């Protein structure tokens, strides 16, 4: 059981590092001003997408090893919804004429996504015990 926990710990740390890169690239993008720098926007989007895929694969692998609890499934769904909402609001902000209300939602969304991911990872780490 120890190697599995080490692998999960590595994936949790990897998730944290990826989120850090998403935040840093988002700050970089935000500070670059308008018009939006396409290269920075692309980097930010690819890191966010990679993070989502990494988390999805991790959850899938954990579910294959041991069936997830109802709480872990619910947390996973909520995390996915926050992730999608954050991606959508980011996309709306990147338009030539961004929707101003989306700015507030996109500033709060990443924190909700990270908080939800932390809860999800906690439930995943402890679901077998």
């Amino acid at each position: 059981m120890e190697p599995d926990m080490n692998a999960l710990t590595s994936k949790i740390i990897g998730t944290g590092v990826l989120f850090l890169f998403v935040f840093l690239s988002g700050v970089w993008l935000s500070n670059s001003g308008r018009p939006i720098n396409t290269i920075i926007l692309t980097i930010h989007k690819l890191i966010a997408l990679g993070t989502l895929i990494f988390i999805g694969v991790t959850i899938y692998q954990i579910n294959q090893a041991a069936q997830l609890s109802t709480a872990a499934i619910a947390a996973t769904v909520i995390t996915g919804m926050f992730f999608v909402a954050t991606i959508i609001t980011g996309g709306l902000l990147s338009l030539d004429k961004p929707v101003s209300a989306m700015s507030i939602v996109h500033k709060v969304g990443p924190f909700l996504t990270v908080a939800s991911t932390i809860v999800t990872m906690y439930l995943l780490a402890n679901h077998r015990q």
Side-chain angles (χ1 to χ4, degrees):
M1 181 143 154
E2 189 63 32
D4 290 338
M5 289 309 290
N6 286 336
L8 182 58
T9 300
S10 296
K11 290 187 184 254
I12 290 170
I13 291 169
T15 300
V17 169
L18 286 169
F19 270 123
L20 178 63
F21 286 141
V22 172
F23 275 106
L24 291 175
S25 65
V27 169
W28 182 26
L29 180 61
S30 179
N31 290 335
S32 70
R34 291 227 175 240
I36 291 179
N37 184 311
T38 307
I39 294 172
I40 300 172
L41 178 62
T42 303
I43 290 169
H44 179 65
K45 286 180 176 183
L46 287 174
I47 295 169
L49 180 61
T51 303
L52 179 60
I53 292 169
F54 183 80
I55 292 170
V57 169
T58 298
I59 292 169
Y60 176 80
Q61 290 171 343
I62 291 170
N63 187 50
Q64 292 300 308
Q67 188 68 30
L68 296 179
S69 67
T70 303
I73 292 170
T76 299
V77 169
I78 291 167
T79 298
M81 289 170 42
F82 280 137
F83 233 116
V84 169
T86 302
I87 289 170
I88 290 170
T89 58
L92 291 172
L93 285 175
S94 67
L95 298 173
D96 288 336
K97 294 183 180 183
V99 180
S100 60
M102 291 302 114
S103 177
I104 295 168
V105 175
H106 195 68
K107 287 178 182 173
V108 173
F111 293 103
L112 294 173
T113 303
V114 169
S116 180
T117 301
I118 289 169
V119 170
T120 300
M121 290 298 181
Y122 175 80
L123 291 171
L124 294 175
N126 293 302
H127 88 280
R128 289 181 270 181
Q129 299 173 355

